[in-house]
C-alpha cells in the first residue's frame, strides 16, 4: 500500500483528501502542522508527502528542508500562493512538484502517482532516518542514540527535545516552541526546565558540555542543532 502523509491545517481539505485517497486504497496520515509532520514522517515512513506551505507553526519550506536532512521522500507542495518565487523556494528546498490551490483532485492524484513512480524507479540507497554527526547518531525510528559504539539512555523528555532539534537541522527552535511541544506550556518561568534538560542532553552527547558543538544555545531565543 502506498502511504501518503498529508500536511495541511485546513480540516475540510484534509477530510476531502483523506476520503479521496482512502477510496483509492492509499494509506493516509494527516498532520495539521509542521512539527507533527516531521515526527510522522520519521515514524510512519510515507511514500509521498503532500505539503501545504502555509502552516500554523512553521513555513512549509522549512518542513521540506528538515525532511531533506534525511530523506528523499517525494514532496508534492500544495499551496494557495501564486507567486512564482514561492514555488522556486519550495522547489529549491527540495520539493518534487507543486500544485496551486484551488486544484483539481484528479490532477493532484495524477501528480501523486507520478511522484511515487519516479521515486520507485530512481536508484537510491536504502534510507534510514538516521541523523549522523561526528559525535553521535540518532535513529528517529528506533528512537535510539549511539555515541562511541554505546547506546545512550535518554529519558522520554530528553528524547522529545532532541528529536525536535535534530529534525530541524541548522534551524533556530524557539524556547516557546520547545516548551509548547514538550511540556504543553507557554513561555513563563518554565525556561529553567529547558536549561536543565539541555544541560543533561549535553552531558550525554557533547564531548565538552560547557562548549557545545551540536546543541547550540541562541541566547534569549532558543536552541539550534548543528550536524
Ligand atoms: Ca494552510
Amino acid at each position: 500500500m502506498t502511504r501518503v502523509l498529508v500536511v495541511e491545517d485546513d480540516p475540510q481539505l484534509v477530510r476531502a483528501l483523506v476520503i479521496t485517497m482512502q477510496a483509492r486504497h492509499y494509506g493516509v496520515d494527516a498532520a495539521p502542522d509542521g512539527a507533527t509532520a516531521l515526527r510522522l514522517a520519521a515514524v510512519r515512513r510515507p511514500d509521498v508527502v503532500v505539503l501545504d506551505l502555509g502552516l500554523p507553526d512553521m513555513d512549509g519550506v522549512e518542513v521540506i528542508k528538515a525532511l531533506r536532512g534525511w530523506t528523499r521522500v517525494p514532496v508534492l507542495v500544495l499551496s494557495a500562493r501564486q507567486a512564482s518565487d514561492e514555488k522556486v523556494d519550495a522547489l529549491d528546498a527540495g520539493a518534487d512538484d507543486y500544485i496551486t490551490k484551488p486544484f483539481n483532485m484528479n490532477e493532484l492524484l495524477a501528480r501523486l502517482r507520478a511522484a511515487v513512480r519516479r521515486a520507485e524507479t530512481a536508484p537510491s540507497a536504502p534510507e534510514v532516518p538516521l541523523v549522523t554527526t561526528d559525535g553521535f547518531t540518532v535513529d528517529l525510528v528506533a528512537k535510539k542514540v549511539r555515541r562511541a559504539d554505546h547506546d545512550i539512555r535518554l529519558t522520554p523528555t530528553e528524547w522529545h527535545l532532541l528529536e525536535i532539534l535534530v529534525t530541524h537541522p541548522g534551524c533556530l527552535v524557539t524556547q516557546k516552541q520547545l516548551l509548547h511541544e514538550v511540556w504543553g506550556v507557554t513561555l513563563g518561568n518554565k525556561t529553567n526546565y529547558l536549561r536543565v534538560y539541555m544541560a543533561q542532553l549535553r552531558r550525554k552527547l557533547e564531548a565538552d558540555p560547557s562548549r557545545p558543538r551540536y546543541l547550540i544555545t541562541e541566547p534569549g531565543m532558543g536552541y539550534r542543532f548543528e550536524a
Side-chain angles (χ1 to χ4, degrees):
M1 190 202 293
T2 303
R3 298 211 65 85
V4 187
L5 173 59
V6 172
V7 188
E8 168 63 64
D9 60 330
D10 173 350
Q12 273 184 313
L13 181 52
V14 171
R15 195 157 170 274
L17 287 167
V18 168
I19 289 171
T20 306
M21 289 174 186
Q22 282 177 343
R24 281 154 183 85
H25 308 293
Y26 288 105
V28 192
D29 289 303
D33 55 53
T36 309
L38 292 173
R39 198 158 49 244
L40 285 180
V43 176
R44 304 286 283 170
R45 316 301 318 280
D47 299 295
V48 59
V49 177
V50 175
L51 173 71
D52 177 33
L53 284 189
L55 295 169
D57 60 337
M58 66 176 87
D59 195 282
V61 172
E62 295 306 317
V63 176
I64 301 169
K65 288 180 186 165
L67 285 174
R68 287 293 173 254
W70 63 272
T71 177
R72 287 295 318 153
V73 65
V75 176
L76 174 53
V77 164
L78 199 58
S79 177
R81 301 177 193 172
Q82 297 278 357
S84 80
D85 52 347
E86 302 278 2
K87 298 184 190 184
V88 170
D89 284 349
L91 294 169
D92 276 350
D96 296 85
D97 201 357
Y98 197 107
I99 189 163
T100 305
K101 291 180 190 173
F103 57 88
N104 174 301
M105 194 63 89
N106 285 327
E107 183 185 350
L108 173 75
L109 290 167
R111 285 173 184 252
L112 201 68
R113 286 192 297 272
V116 172
R117 238 181 358 251
R118 281 196 302 271
E120 280 170 353
T121 52
S124 65
E127 214 166 66
V128 183
L130 209 60
V131 177
T132 309
T133 72
D134 292 337
F136 56 88
T137 55
V138 183
D139 183 329
L140 293 166
V141 170
K143 294 188 184 286
K144 279 192 169 179
V145 182
R146 281 182 77 78
R147 180 180 173 204
D149 290 329
H150 293 287
D151 285 336
I152 303 293
R153 292 182 64 87
L154 297 184
T155 67
T157 302
E158 290 167 355
W159 169 262
H160 200 166
L161 266 179
L162 183 66
E163 183 185 46
I164 294 168
L165 290 169
V166 301
T167 51
H168 299 76
C171 300
L172 166 70
V173 185
T174 64
Q175 294 174 347
K176 190 177 167 186
Q177 273 173 283
L178 289 169
L179 286 169
H180 178 71
E181 272 283 310
V182 179
W183 287 278
V185 296
T186 46
L187 205 55
N189 55 355
K190 302 292 194 293
T191 49
N192 57 328
Y193 288 11
L194 269 176
R195 273 196 294 277
V196 168
Y197 278 93
M198 287 302 296
Q200 286 174 200
L201 272 177
R202 283 173 178 151
R203 272 199 297 278
K204 294 181 178 183
L205 301 177
E206 296 276 0
D208 181 355
S210 61
R211 297 179 58 201
R213 150 84 180 78
Y214 305 107
L215 303 171
I216 314 292
T217 302
E218 297 279 5
M221 296 195 288
Y223 298 91
R224 184 165 46 84
F225 165 70
E226 286 295 342

